[in-house]
Amino acid sequence: MAKDSALWGYLLEESLAWLLRFSGYRLLVHEDQDPVELVSTGDTLRVRGRGALHQVDVLGEFAFTPAFSMPVRLFLEAKFYQTPCGLEVVRNGHGVLHDVNENFMTHAGTRPRQRYQYSYALFSANGFTSEAQKYALAHQISLVDLSGASFSWLLGIIGSTAWSLFQAQEQYWPEGEPFPLSWLRMELRKALETSPVNLLPSVSLGEGKFKQAADAAIAQFVAVLRQHSDAELLLGFPSAPFILPLAADDHKGFDPPLVAWGP
């Protein structure tokens, strides 16, 4: 059986993928979008590094490429731990980033392949230790602490949805059968429109009480995200290697200056 804590992590990942999509990034979810850099195994996406393949929670490519630079891609990792993320988590992120950005080769007489500048952002439901923060600052890893009041509603709906799915599993799912995580991820991505439909895996669950309860929980989850999207779910990208989570009290008053500045 899947634990509700594991379901928290899946829901947080999909929430952040949806957030990234509305912050100027194109989501990469399948190797068909870049067969050179990406590898798909089921619903798991990996990125090629110089020494290994690296699993990624969420991967986005920024819509615009700065002049005299390479296209920017962002690793986004979500941690729903009960304690603050420690140094080892941030160190792992730095290792992944270093390996992926060094994955290039040149051969005489051949055309160079497309390269990308990968960045890394780590979101934690319960903050970070001081050692993790110092290490991230030194190595330009963006840390986003979701434990503050601005994101309490997000963690709240994730917790209640995970609990509803866990209860549906206990009451209606066949004992001993693995929880249908692939189906859950497909349904979330379909509802949140975070993946092209043609790239979603075909997972059939059949009708029944479990599906009815799970569908209701997913619908409520998506409705709350959309309800809050105009104010709480905003990301700012300053001229620095950091992400700024923003909350606008007056979203209508916040919009016109952005429109005036251009796309």
Side-chain angles (χ1 to χ4, degrees), residues 141-257:
I141 302 293
S142 294
L143 304 183
V144 181
D145 184 354
L146 299 175
S147 64
S150 296
F151 292 97
S152 60
W153 69 268
L154 176 60
L155 299 188
I157 188 59
I158 287 174
S160 62
T161 303
W163 177 250
S164 296
L165 292 170
F166 182 70
Q167 291 298 303
Q169 175 187 226
E170 283 197 321
Q171 294 175 24
Y172 306 122
W173 192 248
E175 187 175 355
E177 291 291 323
F179 187 89
L181 291 174
S182 294
W183 174 84
L184 173 62
R185 178 162 285 181
M186 182 192 69
E187 290 299 311
L188 286 169
R189 291 180 177 180
K190 187 189 302 181
L192 292 171
E193 299 179 338
T194 52
S195 175
V197 175
N198 63 308
L199 296 181
L200 287 170
S202 179
V203 182
S204 178
L205 192 63
E207 296 299 327
K209 291 185 177 181
F210 172 82
K211 186 176 184 300
Q212 293 176 6
D215 283 343
I218 292 171
Q220 176 66 15
F221 178 72
V222 172
V224 172
L225 284 187
R226 295 191 185 282
Q227 175 187 345
H228 286 265
S229 64
D230 287 342
E232 284 87 351
L233 283 180
L234 296 171
L235 287 184
F237 297 90
S239 300
F242 305 106
I243 295 173
L244 296 178
L246 304 175
D249 294 330
D250 179 7
H251 188 259
K252 292 183 179 180
F254 188 69
D255 257 348

Side-chain angles (χ1 to χ4, degrees), residues 39-221:
V39 177
S40 294
T41 305
D43 58 1
T44 299
L45 183 67
R46 293 178 172 86
V47 181
R48 297 184 189 275
R50 184 177 181 180
L53 293 174
H54 301 281
Q55 184 173 334
V56 57
D57 291 347
V58 181
L59 182 65
E61 182 175 316
F62 197 55
F64 305 102
T65 301
F68 308 106
S69 182
M70 294 179 288
V72 175
R73 286 183 173 177
L74 177 66
F75 281 94
L76 196 156
E77 187 173 0
K79 297 298 182 185
F80 211 123
Y81 295 160
Q82 298 301 312
T83 57
C85 278
L87 175 60
E88 67 282 356
V89 178
V90 183
R91 184 186 286 133
N92 179 70
H94 174 254
V96 170
L97 192 62
H98 187 72
D99 191 47
V100 170
N101 277 326
E102 286 200 348
N103 182 33
F104 67 94
M105 300 178 69
T106 58
H107 299 279
T110 62
R111 181 180 178 182
R113 68 176 177 83
Q114 176 67 63
R115 289 189 62 195
Y116 299 90
Q117 178 62 43
Y118 286 87
S119 300
Y120 202 98
L122 181 60
F123 287 68
S124 170
N126 283 292
F128 304 88
T129 64
S130 59
E131 291 82 3
Q133 294 176 43
K134 292 175 183 177
Y135 189 88
L137 181 63
H139 294 284
Q140 298 186 1
I141 302 293
S142 294
L143 304 183
V144 181
D145 184 354
L146 299 175
S147 64
S150 296
F151 292 97
S152 60
W153 69 268
L154 176 60
L155 299 188
I157 188 59
I158 287 174
S160 62
T161 303
W163 177 250
S164 296
L165 292 170
F166 182 70
Q167 291 298 303
Q169 175 187 226
E170 283 197 321
Q171 294 175 24
Y172 306 122
W173 192 248
E175 187 175 355
E177 291 291 323
F179 187 89
L181 291 174
S182 294
W183 174 84
L184 173 62
R185 178 162 285 181
M186 182 192 69
E187 290 299 311
L188 286 169
R189 291 180 177 180
K190 187 189 302 181
L192 292 171
E193 299 179 338
T194 52
S195 175
V197 175
N198 63 308
L199 296 181
L200 287 170
S202 179
V203 182
S204 178
L205 192 63
E207 296 299 327
K209 291 185 177 181
F210 172 82
K211 186 176 184 300
Q212 293 176 6
D215 283 343
I218 292 171
Q220 176 66 15
F221 178 72

